[in-house]
Amino acid sequence: MRTSSAWIRWGISIVWRRPASGLNRRGCFIRVVLPCLLLAPALTATTGLANAQTVTPDLFSPNRQSQVITQDSPLRRTTADAMDPLNGLRLPDADPGRRASSSSTSTSERVGQVPTYGLPAANGAATSGYDSLNRKRLKPKYYPGQAKPKPPPGPGSPVPTPQPLTAAGQLRLSIPPSETASKPPLPPAMAGTIVGQPPRRRLKIDDDPFGAVGDYAGSFMVKTAIEVMAGYDTNPGRLNSPRGKAFYMVAPEFLAVSDWERHAVVADLRGSFTGYGSQLTPIDGTPLSAPLDIDRPSFTGHIDGRLDVSRDTHLLAQARMQVSTDNPGSPNVQAGLAKYPLYSTVGGTFGIDQHFNRMQVSLGATVDRTDYQWSKLTDGTSSSNDDRNFTQYGGIGRVSYELNPAVKPFIEVQGDSRVHDLYLDRAGYARDSSGGYAKAGTSFEFTRLLFGEVSIGYAMRDYADTRLNRLEGLLTTASLTWTATPLTTAKFYSDTQLGETTLPGTSGVLSRTYTVEVDHDFRRWLTAIGKFTYGTLEYQGDNRNDTIYSVSADLIYKMTRSLWIKGTVRRDWLDSNLAGQSSASTVVMLGVRVQN
């Protein structure tokens, strides 16, 4: 095909070849050249289009000159045509060089690019927006309890309030009442609306908004509390024939924790006093198995200290004290008592804790002293309890290995020796003994949802008197906490003890207790606690076996951080295989707790 410049040269050559005069030759030249000059731009554009034109589906359309836009028209391209490497993503360009550079681009280089025009027409969306196919729009689905947006307002309706959104831009499941309640206006400085004011630092969310705040005394955080309760007990003496009485209870608490970078000291002191205001009276002059005065004090406290010698070496120390009485219904309670005799146990532990990479070794020496008051009888006389006084010396060792941050198995061994003030007790038995236990278990923590410690072992005790059999049995200890939901927490406790007794011919008492507790928060200020306890008391050397049950329900209404209202209902059973030793009791209490 000839170009425009070739056509011009061809026309000029024809004019000059014709033999004519100068005037005629000049006129013929003008008549021939003038149309060529007029046709040159058109031919140039046509040539450019011809050079830039590519094979597209619309070239083979039988209706190219039709006024109706066909389906394969470039004005309505489909996705397959738009991605065709012969067509590209742009309309034909008038510049051949530009078109050549665009055509040379590979398909892989155009993947992911968004063209400015030439996109396929939208076919519509099925869930939102305009649908050109007039399909039925699907309704959005919401989670149970999620706030649903209001329908669009009609003509003349007020502008709706925007729905609350989370930080991720999603609708909030629920709106706290505190956000919709009436609130007093905040000063601009507190609200952070002053122009140029630096942003305020957001406070940490309080995990226990109704817990004790405490006060600082130097470098110690001190928390104190006192509970005052009043109620009724249907059988305070745990007699076979119940006799109920009203009572009151005062229970103070003190907790001090050091706030040091190194070393640590913790003091935890708790006490209570239960008073009944009146005494029990014997029936027909028969001595009761419970004292006439059944008031009972109780105190438990310990002070723990840790001295950090180095990063892996720590010195440990504990001072402890316990003041209490024999449990009501216990066979250790003498008949004909005027009041319960108190006993106190004072002791301490001194040890060292050493880390060897993942292994931890703890060793400690223990000493405890137990003293009983003399018993006051109903006839005005007193009875000595010096045969029950003893001193215990012992040692304890524990080796643990951290398999991973969540599981830490251990082995623990303890041994002790008890030396009584009197070699023979009131029944003529030598009560000095030596014993201990060995147990193995693990402590674990799984994302704070389930954590605690569980172990199993064996405990035994041998007595100096050969007439007393060995006191032994399976040892089970556990302390587990399971956070079932953010509002519900379940706890499980298990313990085994080898206790002393005054029953003639009986080595001691092997006691096991198992407790399940479930706490549920109906609101941040309303908590319910359910507890169930099962225990066995095995008097080895005697044919007596007791089983204890206890079911209780507590309801706590937290008015403020400093004032709580508490209510308790508890049912206790003591089931013994000996006739006349079983008992049952129901306790109802209501009171307040003041804390700081």
Side-chain angles (χ1 to χ4, degrees), residues 66-363:
S66 175
Q67 298 299 326
V68 180
I69 299 178
T70 60
Q71 294 295 328
D72 54 3
S73 173
L75 297 179
R76 181 178 175 85
R77 288 186 172 182
T78 61
T79 304
D81 295 335
M83 298 306 296
D84 190 350
L86 296 178
N87 296 331
L89 298 176
R90 301 177 60 87
L91 293 177
D93 200 329
D95 188 355
R98 180 179 178 183
R99 178 60 183 171
S101 61
S102 175
S103 299
S104 62
T105 305
S106 62
T107 305
S108 60
E109 295 178 355
R110 296 196 299 267
V111 174
Q113 299 181 2
V114 180
T116 57
Y117 57 88
L119 289 175
N123 291 329
T127 57
S128 63
Y130 173 73
D131 189 356
S132 60
L133 300 181
N134 198 22
R135 289 175 293 186
K136 184 179 180 180
R137 184 179 301 174
L138 300 179
K139 296 183 179 180
K141 297 181 179 180
Y142 301 96
Y143 294 102
Q146 182 178 1
K148 299 181 180 179
K150 296 181 179 179
S157 300
V159 178
T161 304
Q163 297 293 330
L165 302 177
T166 61
Q170 300 177 354
L171 290 177
R172 187 180 299 178
L173 296 181
S174 61
I175 303 176
S178 59
E179 292 192 5
T180 58
S182 177
K183 298 181 180 179
L186 291 177
M190 294 293 295
T193 58
I194 299 179
V195 178
Q197 180 183 6
R200 294 177 57 86
R201 185 176 181 182
R202 186 179 297 273
L203 298 177
K204 180 183 177 182
I205 298 177
D206 194 350
D207 297 332
D208 189 3
F210 290 93
V213 179
D215 294 321
Y216 273 95
S219 59
F220 284 85
M221 166 62 75
V222 179
K223 295 183 179 181
T224 58
I226 184 171
E227 294 185 5
V228 179
M229 310 284 289
Y232 187 82
D233 191 344
T234 60
N235 190 7
R238 302 302 186 266
L239 302 174
N240 190 26
S241 299
R243 303 179 63 181
K245 281 191 174 298
F247 70 95
Y248 66 92
M249 184 182 68
V250 180
E253 299 177 8
F254 177 84
L255 176 65
V257 182
S258 63
D259 188 10
W260 302 336
E261 184 177 357
R262 295 182 59 196
H263 320 302
V265 174
V266 177
D268 189 0
L269 311 177
R270 303 172 185 269
S272 67
F273 178 81
T274 304
Y276 292 87
S278 61
Q279 297 182 354
L280 298 176
T281 56
I283 301 177
D284 299 333
T286 303
L288 300 175
S289 59
L292 301 181
D293 186 357
I294 52 178
D295 296 347
R296 297 182 59 202
S298 177
F299 174 80
T300 301
H302 61 89
I303 301 176
D304 301 331
R306 189 191 74 241
L307 180 63
D308 299 334
V309 179
S310 65
R311 185 176 64 91
D312 297 328
T313 305
H314 311 282
L315 298 180
L316 307 176
Q318 181 189 72
R320 52 184 174 269
M321 181 178 182
Q322 180 182 3
V323 177
S324 185
T325 65
D326 291 325
N327 294 323
S330 171
N332 295 331
V333 178
Q334 299 174 252
L337 287 177
K339 60 184 303 184
Y340 288 109
L342 299 179
Y343 76 86
S344 62
T345 300
V346 181
T349 300
F350 309 92
I352 184 173
D353 186 11
Q354 180 66 43
H355 290 260
F356 300 97
N357 198 358
R358 291 190 176 186
M359 180 179 292
Q360 180 180 358
V361 179
S362 302
L363 300 175

